[in-house]
Amino acid sequence: MELKGPLCYVLDYDDIANYAYQTAKKIKDSEWRPDAIVGIARGGWVHARIQCDLLGVKELFSVKVSHWGVTATKDGKAKLTCPLVGDIEGKKVLVVDDITDTGESLTMAVEHIEETGKPKEVRTATLMHIAGSKFVPDYYGVEVTWAWEIWPWNFYEDLTALIMKIFEGEDIKELTTPQLKKHLREYNNIVLSDEQLSKVKAHMGYLEKIEYPQDKVWKLK
Ligand code: ADE
């Protein structure tokens, strides 16, 4: 069935642990040992912290790359908004992100780190790599075809954006939970439990996107 919106997959922390482990295994098998890890904020932070553990790395730094774009779209310009702070001179550095899609984040981060930090060597790692992406990381957990991956650390943010898109697409101000369930399946192939949906609803109430509390309907503010 043709979807009305982008195909999405909801990932949980077990998926992340599994992909991170696969990534770390490839790094270890290549007999390369990073001295420091740089996590790209925000998407790469959790993965970067897990790699510190899996690879026995104590030095963890950050850069931030911001995107002007919307959830589940391929567009948007990237900009390096927080530079590297910390000493990586002469070190082997692993730059870590969640996924390579357009590859813009990693391209910008690596360029910046090589220019400003004088590292001995820079390599890159992501949990997932989208086949055909311009940037191929040195290490990744799995290769996939394009879909919007809903990371467990971005669940509420993504679901809020996707549901707002459904309100927009349907040109409607109010939805019942069963209607919303149907739309999430038709737009994004997402199936959520009642408990997950009620947590998203509470979150959207907290953000003042919808009226809250409301027992049955999702009503736009
Ligand atoms: N960030 C960039 N591309 C992405 C994708 N396909 N899924 C989730 N996050 C992303």
Side-chain angles (χ1 to χ4, degrees), residues 67 72-73 98-102 130 146-151 158:
H67 293 265
T73 57
D98 47 11
I99 191 165
T100 27
D101 186 336
T102 63
I130 290 183
W146 195 90
W148 187 260
E149 308 293 345
I150 301 178
W151 314 107
D158 281 344

Side-chain angles (χ1 to χ4, degrees), residues 187-207:
Y187 273 73
N188 309 111
N189 202 38
I190 293 173
V191 178
L192 296 182
S193 68
D194 288 336
E195 192 191 340
Q196 282 175 310
L197 266 178
S198 97
K199 286 178 175 170
V200 171
K201 194 166 172 229
H203 178 73
M204 289 179 69
Y206 169 73
L207 294 184

Side-chain angles (χ1 to χ4, degrees), residues 15-196:
D15 297 320
I16 300 310
N18 179 30
Y19 299 150
Y21 186 85
Q22 297 305 323
T23 309
K25 187 169 185 319
K26 290 175 189 172
I27 297 168
K28 288 175 171 174
D29 287 350
S30 75
E31 291 179 21
W32 188 75
R33 281 172 189 267
D35 305 305
I37 287 177
V38 178
I40 302 179
R42 293 178 298 159
W45 273 25
V46 177
H47 182 208
R49 182 61 186 85
I50 296 171
Q51 288 305 341
C52 285
D53 186 35
L54 294 173
L55 301 171
V57 173
K58 297 262 166 66
E59 292 201 75
L60 175 59
F61 304 113
S62 176
V63 295
K64 181 166 188 179
V65 179
S66 300
H67 293 265
W68 302 103
V70 197
T71 289
T73 57
K74 293 188 207 181
D75 60 309
K77 274 271 152 283
K79 200 170 161 228
L80 200 124
T81 51
C82 286
L84 177 71
V85 177
D87 182 17
I88 56 157
E89 192 170 337
K91 292 176 186 166
K92 287 180 286 175
V93 176
L94 184 66
V95 183
V96 173
D97 207 353
D98 47 11
I99 191 165
T100 27
D101 186 336
T102 63
E104 270 193 276
S105 300
L106 268 172
T107 305
M108 292 202 77
V110 168
E111 203 179 283
H112 168 75
I113 288 160
E114 281 178 336
E115 270 172 14
T116 63
K118 301 200 193 104
K120 180 176 173 203
E121 190 186 359
V122 172
R123 294 194 189 181
T124 54
T126 59
L127 295 166
M128 302 177 96
H129 171 60
I130 290 183
S133 166
K134 257 188 257 161
F135 190 103
V136 184
D138 297 294
Y139 310 98
Y140 53 84
V142 282
E143 182 175 278
V144 292
T145 55
W146 195 90
W148 187 260
E149 308 293 345
I150 301 178
W151 314 107
W153 52 83
N154 217 61
F155 178 77
Y156 293 100
E157 190 172 316
D158 281 344
L159 261 297
T160 299
L162 293 168
I163 290 168
M164 294 305 284
K165 272 272 178 212
I166 289 172
F167 275 111
E168 210 181 291
E170 296 299 304
D171 194 18
I172 213 168
K173 292 258 176 308
E174 223 176 281
L175 284 166
T176 64
T177 299
Q179 283 172 330
L180 181 59
K181 271 194 175 182
K182 185 165 171 279
H183 288 314
L184 279 169
R185 197 161 1 93
E186 291 177 355
Y187 273 73
N188 309 111
N189 202 38
I190 293 173
V191 178
L192 296 182
S193 68
D194 288 336
E195 192 191 340
Q196 282 175 310

